[in-house]
């Protein structure tokens, strides 16, 4: 058992809108944000869940040199710092860390730059092509924007990246390397035709092009794949003593983190769920809790047939009887590297509101899945501890335990 760290601020940009109010309202409505995406016109899957109305003019000073995932990260970090009532001009910048998860290098502009190379127009290739694309630049630009000179890390564990980043940040605080860490994830996979096409070629995306709003349906018997999303979530994690000293409001506690690798297959989870179960056990142990102490599970719930079945069976093995389960990807799509951080933010909101949002589009239970899926309407429920799961390619497992402040 280790000391929990305080969540003192959050900033979120999701397909539900800008800020946590828009996010919470849409989650509780149980409606998907998926819609046709002009950027994907002509692609085999031409719809996504995208952040509405995001204007790079809000980060005009860096918009010219950055890709969308970086811009989302910077805005979310500003929101989180403001929510935590931190003043960058007054903090000890050496004790402020940044850890952001990004699932892949952004390929938003690579096709155009590659075309120049193939045409022999070498001097036309942009010198910004690399720094605006590599994963660490989200954390790097956040630090530059806010003047945070402590440890600055990128975490890339595929679809578990955002959750992994929160766990790494917790470890930095426990090791006394920082007083505050801005942690989370950012991703804009639908901004790249190549990324969208690659996921489509892997047959993991829903093909409901005629009915995108009902495409993502975690744990539902009719699920046929996930919907690409995008977004960013940054949580301000802070040592308990530091938060008390500055009289910060604590929104929740990050009490436990567990990580493991399946070592089974490049893209398919171990069907036995041994790695996922080990990560759950580790997160519970660090939080000093038992399975019976968990009141709610925020599932990875990708909406693919195998992954949802694997996760459901893992939960049924770990828990005598799994507590109520939700899956935010039904509403928000799959934010890839940002997903785990966004879902952690959703878990904080559940703890604060004592209300579990429903799984969007869950209408037909899968007879192979024995879980208490929250569907239709939000469920009032006493929630003191949430388990939030994230799994990714490479057999990556990252599990968080968040508790009520």
């Amino acid at each position: 058992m280790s000391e929990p760290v305080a969540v003192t601020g959050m900033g979120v940009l999701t397909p539900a809108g800008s800020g946590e109010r828009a996010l919470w309202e849409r989650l509780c409505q149980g409606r998907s944000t998926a819609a046709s995406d002009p950027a994907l016109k002509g692609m085999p899957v031409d719809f996504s869940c995208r952040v509405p109305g995001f204007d790079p003019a809000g980060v005009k000073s860096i918009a010219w040199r950055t890709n969308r995932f970086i811009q989302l990260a910077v805005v979310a970090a500003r929101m989180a710092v403001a929510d935590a009532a931190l003043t960058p001009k007054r903090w000890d910048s050496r004790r402020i860390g940044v850890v952001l998860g990004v699932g892949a290098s952004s390929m938003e502009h690579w096709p155009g730059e590659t075309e120049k190379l193939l045409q022999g127009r070498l001097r036309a290739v942009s010198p910004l092509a690399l720094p605006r694309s590599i994963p660490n630049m989200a954390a790097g630009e956040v630090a530059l924007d806010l003047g945070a000179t402590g440890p600055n890390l990128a975490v890339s564990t595929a679809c578990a990246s955002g959750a992994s980043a929160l766990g790494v940040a917790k470890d930095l605080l426990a090791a006394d390397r920082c007083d505050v860490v801005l942690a989370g994830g950012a991703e804009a996979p639908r901004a790249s035709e190549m990324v969208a096409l690659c996921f489509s070629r892997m047959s993991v995306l829903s093909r409901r092009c005629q009915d995108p709003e009902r495409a993502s349906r975690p744990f539902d018997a009719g699920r046929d794949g996930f919907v690409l999303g995008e977004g960013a979530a940054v949580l301000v994690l802070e040592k308990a003593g530091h938060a008390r000293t500055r009289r910060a409001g604590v929104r929740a506690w990050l009490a436990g983190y567990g990580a493991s690798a399946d070592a089974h297959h490049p893209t398919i989870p171990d069907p036995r769920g041994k790695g996922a179960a080990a990560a759950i056990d580790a997160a519970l142990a660090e939080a000093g809790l038992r399975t019976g102490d968990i009141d709610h599970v925020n599932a990875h719930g990708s909406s693919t047939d195998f992954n949802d079945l694997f996760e459901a069976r893992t939960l049924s093995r770990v828990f005598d009887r799994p507590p109520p389960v939700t899956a935010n990807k039904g509403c928000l799509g799959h934010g890839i590297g940002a997903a785990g951080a966004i879902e952690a933010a959703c878990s904080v909101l559940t703890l604060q509101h004592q209300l579990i949002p429903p799984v969007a589009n869950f209408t037909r239970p899968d007879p192979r899945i024995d879980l208490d899926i929250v569907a239709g309407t939000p469920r009032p429920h006493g929630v003191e501890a949430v388990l939030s799961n994230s799994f990714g390619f490479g057999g990556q497992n990252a599990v968080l335990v968040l508790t009520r402040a």
Side-chain angles (χ1 to χ4, degrees), residues 20-317:
E20 62 186 66
R21 181 175 179 178
L23 170 61
W24 186 246
E25 287 180 355
R26 192 59 178 258
L27 285 177
C28 289
Q29 290 170 5
R31 289 195 303 113
S32 170
T33 56
S36 296
D37 189 339
L40 300 177
K41 186 177 181 179
M43 303 294 285
V45 176
D46 61 1
F47 61 94
S48 72
C49 296
R50 58 192 186 274
V51 177
F54 178 72
D55 185 0
V59 283
K60 187 175 181 180
S61 61
I62 64 168
W64 64 276
R65 69 167 187 262
T66 58
N67 280 357
R68 186 173 174 89
F69 79 104
I70 297 173
Q71 297 162 11
L72 292 168
V74 169
V75 173
R78 290 177 180 175
M79 294 166 67
V81 167
D83 184 49
L86 285 166
T87 306
K89 291 182 179 180
R90 296 178 185 171
W91 65 26
D92 181 354
S93 66
R94 299 166 299 177
R95 301 287 295 174
I96 310 297
V98 181
V99 184
L100 293 183
V102 178
S105 295
S106 170
M107 290 188 263
E108 190 174 331
H109 292 96
W110 277 110
E113 301 300 334
T114 301
E115 185 176 359
K116 296 173 189 175
L117 172 64
L118 295 176
Q119 292 172 348
R121 299 165 53 216
L122 305 188
R123 293 185 63 82
V125 173
S126 173
L128 295 174
L130 195 62
R132 71 185 175 195
S133 301
I134 53 179
N136 75 296
M137 291 307 291
E141 289 284 3
V142 166
L144 183 61
D145 185 69
L146 295 172
T149 61
N152 190 274
L153 305 173
V155 177
S156 188
T157 54
C159 302
S161 299
S164 298
L166 290 165
V168 170
K170 185 178 186 300
D171 290 346
L172 284 175
L173 292 164
D176 196 32
R177 300 192 184 280
C178 304
D179 294 323
V180 176
V181 182
L182 312 180
E187 197 94 80
R190 43 74 48 192
S192 167
E193 289 182 321
M194 179 59 78
V195 171
L197 180 59
C198 286
F199 278 118
S200 176
R201 293 290 296 149
M202 293 181 72
S203 299
V204 296
L205 298 183
S206 172
R207 297 285 175 146
R208 287 186 170 90
C209 295
Q210 301 306 313
D211 194 11
E213 190 172 343
R214 284 189 279 273
S216 182
R217 46 182 63 212
F219 301 111
D220 187 86
R223 64 191 183 278
D224 71 329
F226 64 78
V227 176
L228 277 180
E230 65 174 1
V234 175
L235 278 63
V236 176
L237 301 184
E238 195 166 348
K239 283 183 173 182
H242 189 273
R244 282 194 297 269
T245 298
R246 70 179 193 89
R247 297 180 181 177
V250 177
R251 305 194 58 173
W253 298 98
L254 177 53
Y257 163 61
S260 69
D262 285 350
H264 169 73
H265 186 276
T267 59
I268 300 173
D270 182 347
R272 298 165 297 177
K274 292 174 67 176
I280 292 172
D281 288 344
L284 289 170
E286 185 169 82
L289 299 177
R290 298 180 180 180
T291 54
D293 299 317
I294 298 298
D295 303 301
H296 162 53
V297 175
N298 192 323
H300 181 70
S302 66
S303 190
T304 60
D305 182 70
F306 183 83
N307 284 27
D308 285 7
L309 184 60
F310 133 81
E311 184 174 13
R313 288 177 173 170
T314 299
L315 291 172
S316 292
R317 279 195 293 269

